[in-house]
Amino acid sequence: MHIFCKFFLCSFFLVHKCTSLSMISSLPNKLYNVKALQNKFFGLRHGQSLANISQIISSDPEISTKEHGLSTLGKEQVSSSANEFVQKYNSDCYQKYRSVAIFSSDFTRARETA
């Protein structure tokens, strides 16, 4: 995830620093000529985690990818959010979208939420 973010920011910066169309066209930006994006993006924070209950900040990948999953309340929060998302997604306004892709960090709380 961090590599993607750094690459994206780097690419974004390079596109805006370019001064000619030939420079821009040499970049691997396939969206340059797209008039409007058709995707919808939704964000969801993880449910309550065991680290939240312990009042600790769990940001070390060596620990957070193995420990500090969701609490019972966190699992209930995720279930409720997932049901709400499915109801909204299945509504008429989203019928033109055919698939869903879910991306998550490798932290246990995020994987369990996804």
Side-chain angles (χ1 to χ4, degrees), residues 2-98:
H2 296 292
I3 294 170
F4 172 76
C5 290
K6 288 178 184 175
F7 175 74
F8 176 77
L9 291 174
C10 221
S11 297
F12 183 75
F13 177 76
L14 288 172
V15 169
H16 285 282
K17 292 297 278 184
C18 293
T19 57
S20 72
L21 288 177
S22 63
M23 287 179 71
I24 292 174
S25 65
S26 67
L27 293 174
N29 185 353
K30 305 295 184 196
L31 299 176
Y32 182 72
N33 293 320
V34 174
K35 301 282 188 248
L37 297 178
Q38 300 297 311
N39 298 330
K40 290 284 184 184
F41 295 91
F42 304 89
L44 177 66
R45 188 175 187 272
H46 61 80
Q48 181 189 59
S49 71
L50 299 173
N52 296 140
I53 292 172
S54 300
Q55 296 183 337
I56 61 172
I57 297 172
S58 181
S59 60
D60 181 353
E62 292 293 321
I63 298 169
S64 298
T65 56
K66 299 172 187 138
E67 299 178 26
H68 305 135
L70 296 178
S71 67
T72 302
L73 174 61
K75 291 175 184 177
E76 291 170 5
Q77 292 169 331
V78 169
S79 179
S80 175
S81 294
N83 287 329
E84 184 179 340
F85 172 78
V86 168
Q87 287 175 0
K88 287 182 180 180
Y89 185 80
N90 286 333
S91 68
D92 290 336
C93 63
Y94 292 114
Q95 287 302 314
K96 64 182 177 179
Y97 302 102
R98 296 197 170 107

